[in-house]
Amino acid sequence: MTQLNPRQREAVHYIDGPLLVLAGAGSGKTSVITRKIAYLVETCGIRARHIAAVTFTNKAAREMRERVGKLLGGSASEGLTVSTFHQLGLTIIRHERKSLGLKSGFSIFDAQDSQALIRDLLVQEHGAEGDKAPLIQQRISQWKNDGVMPEQAIAAGGSPADLLCAQAYRRYNRALRAYNALDFDDLILLPTQLFERSPEILERWQNRLHYLLVDEYQDTNASQYRLVRQLTGLRAGLTVVGDDDQSIYAWRGARPENLAELQVDFPGLKVIKLEQNYRSTARILKAANTLIANNSHVFEKSLWSELGHGEPLRAIRCADEQAEVDQVVAEILDHQLRKRTRLGDYAVLYRGNHQARLLELALQQQQVPYHMSGGTSFFARNEVKDIMAYLRLLQNENDDNAFLRIANVPRRKLGTATLESLGAVANTRHCSLIQAIGRAAEGEVPEAGLDRLREFRHWLEDRRRAAEGGAGIGAIRQLVRDIGYADWLEHISSSEDVAERRMANVDFLIDSLQRVMQEEQVALDEAISRLVLRDLLEQQEEEDAKDDRVQLMTLHAAKGLEFPHVYIIGMEENLLPHRVSIEDGQLEEERRLAYVGITRAQQTLTMSFAAKRRQFGDVLDCEPSRFIDELPADDLEWQGRADDSGDANEARGQETLAGLKSLFG
């Protein structure tokens, strides 16, 4: 889209105060943000280094940065900040490290690291409570997102379970500080706390950022909103873009009500609605508008399109879940044959990943290539996490989680008794495990084990000195050779091919580290930190598949994407909307999720449901989703229901025959 429509143009040019751009699905919001950045620089005379654009994913930030670069060109975009919220938070923390009481080389814990630490703390203090770690981690994350500190959580009281979570939160935070580490949520929480207690530091950052643009504002949590409010200050140079109808991340702490709170915190807020959709047919948009009208709204909007009326939406009733996936696969192959389309034009969306199992088998049986989003992250692979743990220890010797991961990788004959004894010394001396090796008195740690630990520590110090002395990537490659990691992979892998693939991942990791150092002109320790943060963010997103394959993904993963032909399977009560969400009073969030699914479709939309579905060994009767009933009946074509006429099916059959005749002459 090269030309802006009147509403988009108004949003780009408005700089007289804070602005909310209420941007419906497919309405060109990225164009508005990038054009506005260019307008601020070229017309308003604001230097790029005084502008920050913030979004939620690396992918969105990269796209935005590239588009702004093309618009501005040359040196005009130098110093511009285009980043995720967490990257911005990390930038602030690095600049204000001393004020936050952090030492250089601090670590960033990912979700697995955090959960492992919580589990260890629970086992140490409560015996068999380690299995509660995932639940407690989630609760701690919620507290941090809401700006609630451990003392506040403890003071709030509640049930014994609440108190256990709050006490674990306090102990967990103390451990993080002892390890000179942060978790993902701290990257937003710590800057907001610092700004609250240090007005002079806040003023310095407000003077640095004259204009702030925020994408996907409906996905902000309480801490992120607080950070936006703080950075904006009295200057009120703020544009936020969002859509309350696409807020589907409540489980991550997202608060769509943040859009409404803007009117309270910024009384002069101007609201501009982008309602013209450049993605979907009128029928698809009518269905989406009709569905979402059942939710309560602070801001009303109605999407429209100039792309034509389009084909009717289809609802298919299938006998069971196997018949459902067979039907969908057959339909995709049939449609591709008739229309001569790409397999990559088709997406199958579902509420939960478990729904994809039968679908995968059906596609495999028909030899249909597919790509399923949500596979194992590169950084989640064991071999990559192993080497990353070594790198983290080079950066921060107090990273106990990293040490525990690789203490016996490869095997160093360090038994459980040795490591437990070392842990006791660390607790007694209030130091890290690495430091405890040097502080252990005679008899506190088994002698043979202590000798091995000291040898490991000396070797690690040598590697650290080599890395700091300018050896850089060479030191990392030597480290991998020193530990005999390739031989270790051969020993533990199921085959030579598997071992080779895993070692190739290690080589790719080191090459990536080198590329970060070269492209971003940073030292090794900084490159390691950036790579860790990048992984934390990319664990939450999935890059588009480049080749021609049917796309399989959850409705959550589909947000921000579009496909010519969309199938939504499992449109049943207790699946969509999900039973837990119904019980928890989250029906509106589920309706927004269905809305997101519908608005991914450009040309055709097909929804299917099963009359019976097997769950936990039982065959259950299923009811079609209430969301199908909420769609406009005159735009809906039924198949498989007792009252459908069959005329549409016959027409499709004739169309298929005609396609075959034309194909084979």
Side-chain angles (χ1 to χ4, degrees):
M1 182 176 57
T2 57
Q3 298 297 318
L4 299 177
N5 65 42
R7 294 282 76 78
Q8 291 173 326
R9 196 177 305 112
E10 184 184 6
V12 167
H13 293 167
Y14 184 80
I15 59 167
D16 295 334
L19 171 66
L20 166 60
V21 181
L22 201 68
S27 62
K29 63 182 179 63
T30 305
S31 290
V32 168
I33 295 172
T34 54
R35 294 287 188 91
K36 185 151 194 171
I37 293 171
Y39 181 76
L40 291 169
V41 174
E42 294 177 332
T43 305
C44 303
I46 301 176
R47 292 184 177 179
R49 60 187 175 92
H50 292 310
I51 301 171
V54 187
T55 186
F56 279 85
T57 67
N58 285 327
K59 180 184 172 185
R62 282 195 299 270
E63 181 186 354
M64 201 176 293
R65 195 179 298 112
E66 289 168 2
R67 291 173 68 168
V68 172
K70 290 178 181 176
L71 287 171
L72 288 176
S75 61
S77 62
E78 284 183 7
L80 173 70
T81 297
V82 181
S83 72
T84 64
F85 264 105
H86 294 91
Q87 286 167 336
L88 177 61
L90 180 60
T91 298
I92 296 170
I93 289 170
R94 289 203 177 281
H95 277 84
E96 310 298 342
R97 172 178 58 78
K98 292 181 180 178
S99 299
L100 289 165
L102 292 166
K103 294 179 285 187
S104 63
F106 58 83
S107 300
I108 304 171
F109 277 27
D110 66 13
Q112 288 179 306
D113 295 330
S114 295
Q115 196 171 117
L117 175 58
I118 293 168
R119 186 178 292 108
D120 289 346
L121 294 172
L122 289 172
V123 170
Q124 288 174 23
E125 299 185 8
H126 301 282
E129 300 283 354
D131 60 330
K132 295 181 179 178
L135 179 65
I136 292 176
Q137 181 192 24
Q138 186 181 17
R139 190 70 184 279
I140 291 172
S141 180
Q142 289 172 346
W143 274 322
K144 288 193 175 187
N145 287 336
D146 291 337
V148 177
M149 299 309 296
E151 292 71 23
Q152 294 170 299
I154 292 171
S159 66
D162 291 334
L163 188 60
L164 173 67
C165 288
Q167 290 171 337
Y169 179 18
R170 181 170 62 185
R171 182 71 182 86
Y172 168 72
N173 254 19
R174 288 176 179 172
L176 284 178
R177 299 300 170 262
Y179 299 158
N180 194 34
L182 311 173
D183 65 19
F184 202 53
D185 299 312
D186 285 332
L187 298 179
I188 307 296
L189 178 63
L190 292 185
T192 62
Q193 291 177 326
L194 176 65
F195 291 157
E196 283 176 1
R197 66 175 182 262
S198 302
E200 70 283 358
I201 295 177
L202 173 59
E203 185 178 1
R204 189 166 68 245
W205 280 91
Q206 288 175 340
N207 289 330
R208 179 175 172 175
L209 295 177
H210 294 181
Y211 206 97
L212 182 64
L213 302 99
V214 185
D215 191 17
E216 303 286 4
Y217 200 74
Q218 76 282 348
D219 294 334
T220 55
N221 58 39
S223 283
Q224 288 161 342
Y225 182 33
R226 193 177 304 114
L227 182 63
V228 169
R229 206 167 58 236
Q230 290 171 330
L231 289 173
T232 302
L234 297 175
R235 188 177 281 107
L238 175 68
T239 292
V240 305
V241 182
D243 182 6
D244 52 345
D245 291 332
Q246 296 188 75
S247 180
I248 57 174
Y249 296 116
W251 49 279
R252 287 187 191 171
R255 300 173 74 251
E257 54 267 35
N258 284 350
L259 288 168
E261 285 188 21
L262 283 168
Q263 293 181 308
V264 177
D265 293 323
F266 300 95
L269 181 75
K270 184 178 179 66
V271 180
I272 296 175
K273 300 177 184 180
L274 303 185
E275 297 174 295
Q276 182 175 359
N277 175 285
Y278 294 91
R279 174 186 299 159
S280 307
T281 65
R283 256 179 166 149
I284 292 170
L285 295 180
K286 179 184 174 185
N289 289 332
T290 305
L291 175 72
I292 207 65
N294 292 283
N295 275 9
S296 56
H297 288 88
V298 175
F299 305 101
E300 298 291 341
K301 69 177 186 306
S302 182
L303 297 179
W304 59 275
S305 169
E306 294 180 341
L307 299 178
H309 198 49
E311 297 182 27
L313 283 64
R314 299 176 60 237
I316 304 175
R317 178 187 181 276
C318 305
D320 53 32
E321 66 266 42
Q322 184 64 59
E324 181 182 35
V325 298
D326 289 343
Q327 176 84 23
V328 169
V329 173
E331 288 228 352
I332 290 173
L333 291 173
D334 170 44
H335 193 272
Q336 190 206 17
L337 174 67
R338 290 186 287 108
K339 302 296 184 181
R340 311 280 183 93
T341 55
R342 298 171 63 256
L343 286 172
D345 292 342
Y346 300 86
V348 186
L349 313 181
Y350 34 81
R351 179 64 175 82
N353 276 311
H354 66 279
Q355 294 171 253
R357 295 169 190 160
L358 284 176
L359 183 61
E360 282 193 90
L361 291 173
L363 288 163
Q364 290 168 4
Q365 188 175 12
Q366 297 296 328
Q367 298 182 331
V368 179
Y370 66 90
H371 173 263
M372 185 168 68
S373 297
T376 303
S377 159
F378 174 75
F379 285 82
R381 301 171 194 268
N382 282 327
E383 62 273 16
V384 176
K385 288 190 76 69
D386 288 344
I387 303 305
M388 285 298 292
Y390 276 99
L391 297 180
R392 285 163 47 191
L393 272 181
L394 290 183
Q395 185 191 24
N396 174 21
E397 71 166 11
N398 298 322
D399 192 333
D400 282 0
N401 273 10
F403 172 78
L404 290 171
R405 179 174 186 91
I406 51 86
N408 273 313
V409 177
R411 298 287 184 209
R412 294 189 177 86
K413 299 180 180 179
L414 297 172
T416 304
T418 296
L419 293 174
E420 286 181 352
S421 301
L422 185 68
V425 173
N427 286 335
T428 304
R429 307 283 198 281
H430 303 290
C431 63
S432 69
L433 292 168
I434 288 279
Q435 291 171 334
I437 296 171
R439 299 182 187 183
E442 187 176 346
E444 288 186 305
V445 178
E447 186 176 351
L450 187 58
D451 288 342
R452 295 188 189 98
L453 285 167
R454 285 169 175 166
E455 184 181 343
F456 175 58
R457 185 187 183 193
H458 291 320
W459 171 82
L460 195 64
E461 287 173 349
D462 287 343
R463 290 297 95 214
R464 183 179 295 110
R465 281 194 293 270
E468 291 173 350
I473 291 296
I476 305 304
R477 298 192 192 279
Q478 187 60 49
L479 179 152
V480 175
R481 287 193 291 270
D482 284 353
I483 63 177
Y485 196 74
D487 294 337
W488 165 252
L489 288 177
E490 285 187 18
H491 177 68
I492 64 171
S493 299
S494 57
S495 70
E496 282 187 24
D497 287 345
V498 171
E500 286 177 5
R501 284 198 300 272
R502 295 180 71 181
M503 193 62 204
N505 288 333
V506 173
D507 292 333
F508 182 82
L509 171 67
I510 298 171
D511 290 343
S512 299
L513 198 59
Q514 187 172 21
R515 193 160 54 250
V516 171
M517 292 174 67
Q518 291 171 345
E519 293 178 358
E520 303 182 26
Q521 295 293 299
V522 294
L524 180 61
D525 60 342
E526 175 69 10
I528 293 170
S529 288
R530 293 190 182 191
L531 216 54
V532 170
L533 178 60
R534 209 163 288 176
D535 169 53
L536 294 177
L537 292 163
E538 291 187 354
Q539 286 176 23
Q540 302 178 16
E541 58 181 284
E542 186 77 22
E543 293 291 338
D544 297 341
K546 301 293 183 188
D547 51 0
D548 189 19
R549 295 182 285 176
V550 176
Q551 302 297 300
L552 314 182
M553 66 190 71
T554 64
L555 288 158
H556 285 97
K559 188 172 176 291
L561 304 178
E562 59 186 39
F563 307 93
H565 311 288
V566 169
Y567 290 79
I568 305 177
I569 64 173
M571 286 286 286
E572 302 154 24
E573 288 292 298
N574 299 320
L575 263 182
L576 184 66
H578 196 276
R579 175 182 56 81
V580 175
S581 296
I582 297 172
E583 293 172 353
D584 292 346
Q586 296 294 319
L587 185 61
E588 289 201 350
E589 173 112 348
E590 291 291 293
R591 187 175 283 111
R592 290 194 293 268
L593 193 56
Y595 174 86
V596 165
I598 290 171
T599 53
R600 297 314 91 194
Q602 296 172 293
Q603 300 172 23
T604 69
L605 173 67
T606 303
M607 297 158 287
S608 63
F609 62 93
K612 296 183 180 295
R613 190 175 293 273
R614 185 176 296 276
Q615 292 184 6
F616 309 110
D618 297 323
V619 178
L620 306 178
D621 292 327
C622 305
E623 294 292 326
S625 170
R626 69 188 73 188
F627 299 150
I628 296 179
D629 290 334
E630 293 177 2
L631 300 177
D634 55 338
D635 290 313
L636 198 59
E637 181 183 281
W638 281 89
Q639 183 178 332
R641 208 170 60 170
D643 58 348
D644 68 335
S645 66
D647 292 343
N649 295 338
E650 185 177 346
R652 290 179 67 83
Q654 291 298 323
E655 194 175 356
T656 300
L657 287 174
L660 283 167
K661 288 178 181 177
S662 67
L663 185 64
F664 297 110

